Amino acid sequence: MIDKLSYDQMLQISKDLSDQAQKIQKMAEARELMDLVDFASTVEGYSKFLENTVELNRDADNALKELREKKR
């Protein structure tokens, strides 16, 4: 978990952000709204950051689990 959200919830949020950012980016590109294109790109980058954060936290959880098991 990250704060009060499960890893699956975080990954769903990340996916939703990415999907919406891609849609916005396509519409903004068609209208040559480059500031909006840049913003959508930043949102998509943030969605990747969330994915990586979940992956790192899962790895840390697994490492801690292994350490606890070895300690016993």
Side-chain angles (χ1 to χ4, degrees), residues 2-69:
I2 299 175
D3 197 26
K4 295 178 183 178
L5 299 174
S6 71
Y7 292 142
D8 289 337
Q9 288 172 316
M10 289 292 291
L11 290 174
Q12 186 60 50
I13 290 168
S14 173
K15 181 183 179 315
D16 292 345
L17 279 173
S18 179
D19 292 347
Q20 296 305 315
Q22 289 174 9
K23 290 176 184 177
I24 291 169
Q25 196 166 10
K26 286 179 185 175
M27 288 188 290
E29 285 173 351
R31 292 171 177 81
E32 298 180 10
L33 302 170
M34 299 318 289
D35 287 342
L36 189 54
V37 170
D38 291 343
F39 175 75
S41 178
T42 301
V43 171
E44 194 163 353
Y46 182 69
S47 77
K48 280 287 184 202
F49 167 77
L50 290 177
E51 285 180 36
N52 291 335
T53 300
V54 168
E55 185 176 324
L56 288 171
N57 277 277
R58 279 185 173 162
D59 289 345
D61 287 348
N62 289 334
L64 288 172
K65 181 180 176 183
E66 289 177 18
L67 288 172
R68 281 189 210 118
E69 289 172 359

